[in-house]
Amino acid sequence: MAHLLVTGGAGFIGANFVRRALAADPGGRLTVLDALTYAGNRANLAEVADRIRFVPGDVCDAELVDGLVRDCDVVVHFAAESHVDNSLHDPRPFLRSNVEGTFVLLEAVRRHDRRLHHISTDEVFGSLPLHGSERFTEDSRYDPSSPYSATKAAADMLVRAWVRAYGVRATLSYCANNYGPYQNVEKFLPRQITNVLLGRRPKLYGTGENVREWTHVDDHNDAVLRIVADGRPGETYLIGSGAQWSNRALLELTLSLLGRPVDDYDTVPDRPGHDLRYAVDSGRIRRELGWRPRHPDLPEGLARTIDWYRCNEWWWRPQKDATEARYLAIGR
Ligand code: NAD
Ligand code: TYD
C-alpha cells in the first residue's frame, strides 16, 4: 500500500484523517509532519501513536520536507494556519505556513515526482449573497475576503501553476465548514459548546444571519481518501454535505441540545469582512467518485460532537481560557 505523508496531521481535520486512513488500510505506512503550533496536539493521535511515524517540524523547512517527500508515495497537505479571526489580527504566520509552506512542498513533490493532494477551503471563493440558491462550483471565481482565505487562495494558485508548468500530479479539494471531535475551541461550534459546558454564554457575531454549510469531518476525510485513490491529477473537487444553517439557527440548536433556553447567548461585534454565505455544489465528487456524506443529519452529528466535548474536557480545558482572553482582546 502507498506510504502517506500527512502534513498538519496533529490538527483537527488532519488527525481525524490519520485515524480514518489507518482504519481504511490497517497495514498502511503513514508519516505525520506537524509543527505543533497552538492548534496541533500529539494527544489527537494517541490512539494510533504506535502505528505512525510522527515528525515534529515545519513545512517551510525545505531540507526536512525534501527527505520526507522522497520517502513517501503520496502527500496529503493539511498543514495551515486555519482561523479567520487570528488572520485578521496577525496575518504574517498565514503567509508563511500557508503560502511558503505549500511552495516548499510543491518543490519537493516536483523533484521526487510524488502525488500531492492539497486541502483548500470554499472560503477562497468569498461570499455568496445571503438570500438565493447560488452555490460555489469548481469554476467559481476566486474572491477571498480575509488574510486566511487569501493565503489559501495563493497556495491553490501555486498548486495549479505547478500542475501546468511542471506536470506535478496534484489534486485539490475545497471543503465547506467542518465539525466533529478534536476541533480547536477557537472555532464556532467548539467555542459555543464549551462555553455552555462551563456555564458561560455563547457569543454570536453580528446579526447571526450568516450561513455556513456544515460537513462532518469524517465525511470530508472520506472524500479526501476517495480523491487520493481515484481523483484525476490536475482536477479540483468541492466537498459539502448540503446542510446549510445560519449561525443563529445553529446556535439555537446547540443550546437546545445542551438543555439551555435558545436565547441564552450574547451578541458581540461582527467580524470585519464577514462573508455572508457559503454553499457548495459537490456534484462532481458525487458523480465522478461516488462520494456521499454518511452524516448528512446535522442535529444528529452535532449531538454526538457535543457528547465528545462533554466527555473530553481534559482535551479542551487547558486551551479555553487563553482562547477566550484572545477573543476578549479583540472585542469578540
Ligand atoms: P487546525 O488549525 O486544527 O490544524 C492545523 C495543523 O497544521 C496543526 O496541527 C498545526 O500544528 C499544523 N501546522 C500549522 N502550520 C504548520 C507548519 N508551518 N508546518 C507544519 N505544521 C503546521 O486546522 P484544521 O481545521 O484541521 O484545517 C486543516 C486544513 O483544512 C487547513 O488547510 C484548512 O485550511 C483546511 N480546511 C479547514 C476547514 C474547517 O472547517 N476547519 C474547512 C475546509 C478546509
Ligand atoms: P468559524 O468557525 O471561525 O469558521 P469560518 O469563519 O471559517 O466560517 O466561524 C463560523 C461562523 O460562525 C462564522 O460566520 C463566524 C461565526 N462565529 C460566531 O458567530 N461566533 C464565534 O464565536 C465564532 C468563533 C464564529
Side-chain angles (χ1 to χ4, degrees), residues 1-5 22 25 27-31 51 53 71:
M1 280 292 159
H3 176 185
L4 296 185
L5 172 64
L22 290 174
D25 178 16
R29 283 184 70 195
L30 196 150
T31 300
R51 297 173 60 194
R53 175 177 176 217
D71 291 346

Side-chain angles (χ1 to χ4, degrees), residues 82-85 123 148 177 183 186-189 191-192 203-206 208 210-212 214 247 268 271 274-275 278 327 332:
S82 67
H83 193 42
V84 173
D85 292 310
E123 298 191 28
Y148 163 64
N177 287 63
Q183 187 169 29
E186 70 193 353
K187 302 293 196 304
F188 179 60
L189 282 169
R191 186 182 186 202
Q192 316 314 338
K203 311 285 181 214
L204 186 68
Y205 291 177
N210 310 61
V211 170
R212 299 290 183 263
W214 292 93
N247 294 340
V268 293
R271 174 190 277 172
H274 195 175
D275 287 334
Y278 302 144
Y327 275 121
R332 289 199 286 279

Side-chain angles (χ1 to χ4, degrees), residues 140-152:
S140 290
R141 191 170 67 92
Y142 276 65
D143 190 19
S145 306
S146 71
Y148 163 64
S149 51
T151 56
K152 292 296 291 185

Side-chain angles (χ1 to χ4, degrees), residues 73-88:
D73 303 303
V74 180
V75 182
V76 186
H77 179 35
F78 291 97
E81 289 291 335
S82 67
H83 193 42
V84 173
D85 292 310
N86 295 343
S87 81
L88 290 163

Side-chain angles (χ1 to χ4, degrees), residues 8-14 33-41 57-60 77-82 97 119-122 148 152 175-178 183-184 186-187 220:
F12 162 49
I13 306 176
L33 170 65
D34 197 295
L36 296 177
T37 68
Y38 78 95
N41 186 344
D58 197 315
V59 277
C60 299
H77 179 35
F78 291 97
E81 289 291 335
S82 67
S97 293
I119 306 290
S120 189
T121 164
D122 62 351
Y148 163 64
K152 292 296 291 185
C175 192
N177 287 63
N178 283 213
Q183 187 169 29
N184 194 284
E186 70 193 353
K187 302 293 196 304
H220 180 183

